[in-house]
Amino acid sequence: MATGDIVLGENQYGKAQCRLVRVTRPSTGSGGGPGSGGEHWIEDLTVTSQLRGDFEACHTEGDNSQVVATDTQKNTMYAHAKEHGIGSPEEFLIRLGRHFVDGFDWVTGGRWEAEQHGWQRIVVDGQPHDHSFVRTGQETRTAVVQVVDGRTHIISGLTDCTVLKSTGSEFHGFPRDRYTTLQETDDRILATSVTARWRYAQLPTDFTATYESVRATMLSTFASLHSLALQQTLFAMGKAVLEQHDEIAEIKFSMPNKHHFLVDLEPFGLDNPGEVFFAADRPYGLIQATVQRDGIAPEPAAWASVAGFC
Ligand SMILES: O=c1[nH]c(=O)c2[nH]c(=O)[nH]c2[nH]1
């Protein structure tokens, strides 16, 4: 039979995987704000904060008098991103650690972790765009070839091509009913992860060159179009592809609207003119559509085994 006291061993606690996006705008800090032009920079982190120290009474008695709430740890990250910027993830985490260890006597240490997500500027007409970016190192090129009843169907595409524009996107004019709470906006972050597949009507001369061209067209359209809805952006991307590629009959898109919510920093006495965002992963809007040449014959056999579109 087991004997002896039962005691608390090692422990740590905090908030995991806080999605934090900071937009730095040239005019922020000088009365500027969302919509201001010029070059924007984005920093995108997933941050976990955990505290170590004397938290025994909470575990054994439910005494929370020393528990710096995980919610407070999360708020601290967002407020620090506003007040001190991010810079390198290491420096950001060092500042966070110092804040907790110096600020609470019983916090003796902790663990802070960040993943930084890389973004590149989208290139439009040979020029890096001011406020439109594509996530690095995630996307996948796809291809499906089917031979059905002696006919060959070729569908090319890409998936997980994540793009973001930090201004140049509005959403308003939608119907309001008793369940509508969404505020109208004339400036928001627009971000999506593009999954697209296009069907060839004729063989292109070079599949890889066509892939690169379609990708570049989609990205530059995303960057250049001042968007009134993700649906409008989707259609414009498809239209531009079809206008430039006679050999493509139709293109299907599935585009999640990756919502970025401005963090309310007012309780901490901080303004937030479009700088610090919570990047939510779910739920997300899901926009799906086919953009096609008028009058094309439908090819259900080509799409029958290609899931994820309408
Ligand atoms: O671009 C958008 N399209 C929508 O249909 C929609 N719905 C919503 O809540 N936000 C947005 N944004």
Side-chain angles (χ1 to χ4, degrees):
M1 198 170 101
T3 56
D5 290 344
I6 293 173
V7 297
L8 178 67
E10 277 189 306
N11 62 90
Q12 58 185 9
Y13 78 101
K15 199 67 108 189
Q17 308 231 333
C18 299
R19 294 283 297 109
L20 161 61
V21 172
R22 185 187 153 102
V23 179
T24 304
R25 303 163 187 261
S27 51
T28 340
S30 58
S36 34
E39 202 176 27
H40 291 192
W41 290 266
I42 56 173
E43 296 170 287
D44 183 350
L45 298 181
T46 301
V47 186
T48 297
S49 166
Q50 289 176 290
L51 304 184
R52 298 174 187 154
D54 180 5
F55 302 106
E56 180 154 5
C58 175
H59 289 88
T60 59
E61 314 287 337
D63 173 353
N64 293 333
S65 57
Q66 300 202 156
V67 177
V68 180
T70 66
D71 192 63
T72 307
Q73 295 181 49
K74 176 202 71 185
N75 289 344
T76 307
M77 292 172 202
Y78 289 111
H80 268 231
K82 160 70 188 178
E83 281 193 286
H84 312 295
I86 293 176
S88 66
E90 289 84 355
E91 287 162 309
F92 183 67
L93 298 182
I94 288 166
R95 284 195 296 272
L96 269 183
R98 229 180 256 145
H99 168 89
F100 290 113
V101 173
D102 293 352
F104 301 94
D105 288 346
W106 59 90
V107 176
T108 54
R111 179 178 189 280
W112 293 274
E113 176 169 15
E115 291 165 11
Q116 182 159 36
H117 312 294
W119 293 88
Q120 273 175 351
R121 288 185 191 280
I122 292 175
V123 174
V124 181
D125 298 331
Q127 293 299 318
H129 198 267
D130 269 357
H131 57 257
S132 298
F133 305 85
V134 56
R135 260 285 276 267
T136 51
Q138 274 197 326
E139 73 193 55
T140 303
R141 177 175 167 180
T142 60
V144 177
V145 173
Q146 297 182 79
V147 179
V148 182
D149 297 332
R151 293 183 57 220
T152 301
H153 302 288
I154 303 169
I155 293 179
S156 298
L158 54 67
T159 190
D160 296 327
C161 178
T162 303
V163 288
L164 178 150
K165 57 198 298 175
S166 47
T167 189
S169 165
E170 312 184 20
F171 189 65
H172 45 75
F174 47 87
R176 304 201 77 87
D177 68 6
R178 56 194 283 243
Y179 300 119
T180 307
T181 56
L182 184 70
Q183 296 298 307
E184 306 214 329
T185 176
D186 61 5
D187 193 13
R188 65 174 181 174
I189 287 183
L190 183 65
T192 184
S193 173
V194 180
T195 295
R197 295 203 192 235
W198 53 94
R199 181 172 64 80
Y200 286 104
Q202 295 115 40
L203 284 188
T205 45
D206 179 334
F207 281 109
T208 296
T210 305
Y211 173 82
E212 296 296 347
S213 166
V214 168
R215 178 183 182 278
T217 299
M218 292 194 296
L219 292 188
S220 66
T221 306
F222 174 85
S224 309
L225 184 80
H226 184 100
S227 176
L228 300 177
L230 184 54
Q231 289 91 328
Q232 183 201 21
T233 295
L234 177 158
F235 182 76
M237 289 165 66
K239 184 165 181 268
V241 168
L242 294 184
E243 282 171 352
Q244 286 181 21
H245 290 278
D246 289 344
E247 68 277 29
I248 297 175
E250 57 183 329
I251 179 165
K252 289 180 183 283
F253 291 96
S254 182
M255 295 181 19
N257 191 355
K258 295 168 82 77
H259 304 299
H260 286 66
F261 298 110
L262 199 62
V263 180
D264 179 10
L265 299 176
E266 231 179 83
F268 324 124
L270 300 169
D271 66 347
N272 189 8
E275 286 181 275
V276 178
F277 293 86
F278 160 55
D281 68 339
R282 63 186 75 169
Y284 50 85
L286 183 57
I287 313 298
Q288 299 178 314
T290 305
V291 185
Q292 62 196 41
R293 296 185 191 286
D294 197 14
I296 58 158
E299 290 285 6
W303 294 105
S305 67
V306 180
F309 298 95
C310 62

